[in-house]
């Protein structure tokens, strides 16, 4: 069983910053690609950013350089630094990971952390 736990969400004013973190725990060999998704009210969940184990990153076009994804393989964590936040960034942010264990390759989701951008 693998557990992903997000933290760092909250209320922030427009133009502000937040740093989300996600920690993986459980029994597994390694974690390959890690992702941050988000789901705004009434909208479908969408991919925000991803990072491979070797550090290759990919971002959704709508982020326009405002967010940075990073990871620490030794600690099995992934982070999302969010700058210049806007009201449209209000959403539940979910961590997602491709995990290799004795069960093979499976993907897991965290429970989500709420980010609210409002004055």
């Amino acid at each position: 069983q693998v557990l992903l736990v997000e933290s760092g969400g909250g209320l922030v004013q427009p133009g502000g910053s937040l740093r989300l973190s996600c920690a993986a725990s459980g029994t597994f060999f390694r974690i390959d690609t890690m992702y941050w998704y988000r789901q705004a009210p009434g909208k479908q969940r969408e991919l925000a950013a991803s990072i491979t184990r070797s550090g290759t990153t990919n971002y959704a076009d709508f982020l326009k350089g405002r967010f940075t994804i990073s990871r620490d393989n030794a600690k099995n964590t992934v982070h999302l630094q969010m700058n210049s936040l806007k009201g449209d960034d209000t959403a539940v942010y979910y961590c997602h990971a491709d995990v290799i264990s004795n069960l093979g390759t499976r993907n897991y989701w965290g429970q989500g952390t709420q980010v609210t951008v409002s004055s």
Side-chain angles (χ1 to χ4, degrees):
Q1 182 69 21
V2 176
L3 188 64
L4 300 178
V5 178
E6 300 100 333
S7 61
L11 174 64
V12 62
Q13 293 186 343
S17 298
L18 278 177
R19 187 174 189 254
L20 305 183
S21 296
C22 172
S25 62
T27 302
F28 50 86
F29 300 137
R30 73 175 188 274
I31 301 175
D32 282 348
T33 304
M34 303 185 82
Y35 312 78
W36 283 101
Y37 282 77
R38 71 182 191 182
Q39 187 167 18
K43 295 186 177 181
Q44 289 188 335
R45 192 171 298 188
E46 59 184 358
L47 176 64
S50 65
I51 184 168
T52 66
R53 185 170 180 81
S54 61
T56 300
T57 58
N58 188 43
Y59 297 93
D61 290 341
F62 60 77
L63 293 183
K64 296 182 180 179
R66 297 183 296 119
F67 293 9
T68 302
I69 189 171
S70 61
R71 67 187 287 172
D72 185 331
N73 291 333
K75 296 181 179 179
N76 295 313
T77 56
V78 63
H79 308 281
L80 188 66
Q81 177 66 42
M82 305 186 296
N83 299 327
S84 302
L85 284 162
K86 305 181 291 186
D88 289 347
D89 296 318
T90 295
V92 179
Y93 285 73
Y94 295 91
C95 175
H96 182 69
D98 297 330
V99 180
I100 316 299
S101 71
N102 58 357
L103 299 176
T105 301
R106 293 189 176 185
N107 56 76
Y108 295 86
W109 290 92
Q111 82 289 348
T113 185
Q114 177 70 47
V115 172
T116 302
V117 183
S118 176
S119 56

